[in-house]
Amino acid sequence: MKEFSYTITDPQGVHARPAGVLVKEAAKYQSSITIEKDDKSGDAKRIFSVMGLAVKCGNTIRVKIEGPDEEEAARSVEEFFKANL
C-alpha cells in the first residue's frame, strides 16, 4: 500500500471541476484509491464520494492507494494534486 498526505492550496478547495478530473485520473488505475479527511473517507473514483468530503483550502488529506498498479497510481495522483489543487 502507498499513501501520501497533501494540503489543499486551491482557494476554492476541492470543487466540482477538479473533483471530476480527479475521478477520471483515478479511474485509469486498477488499484483502489481512497481519500481521507478528518474521520471521513471516500472513493476517489466516485465524484459524489469526493465531493462529500467537503475538502476546503488549507485542509490536509491522506490518500491511500492499494492494488496491482499502486506505484504508478500513487505517482500520478500525487502529481495531479500538486498541479491542480
Side-chain angles (χ1 to χ4, degrees):
M1 176 168 59
K2 294 287 187 186
E3 61 181 77
F4 65 89
S5 294
Y6 183 77
T7 301
I8 302 299
T9 57
D10 186 314
Q12 297 178 356
V14 180
H15 54 96
R17 184 183 44 76
V21 179
L22 171 62
V23 168
K24 286 182 183 177
E25 184 65 29
K28 295 178 183 177
Y29 302 98
Q30 293 179 19
S31 298
S32 70
I33 303 172
T34 305
I35 301 172
E36 297 178 351
K37 178 191 155 242
D38 300 329
D39 60 344
K40 296 191 284 183
S41 67
D43 183 348
K45 297 180 182 183
R46 298 179 182 274
I47 187 81
F48 291 116
S49 187
V50 173
M51 295 297 297
L53 295 174
V55 180
K56 306 288 183 216
C57 182
N59 289 159
T60 299
I61 58 167
R62 179 178 290 307
V63 180
K64 294 183 178 182
I65 300 114
E66 188 169 7
D69 54 0
E70 63 189 28
E71 292 281 340
E72 184 182 350
R75 188 171 33 258
S76 176
V77 172
E78 188 167 13
E79 286 174 12
F80 171 85
F81 274 105
K82 289 177 181 176
N84 297 287
L85 294 167

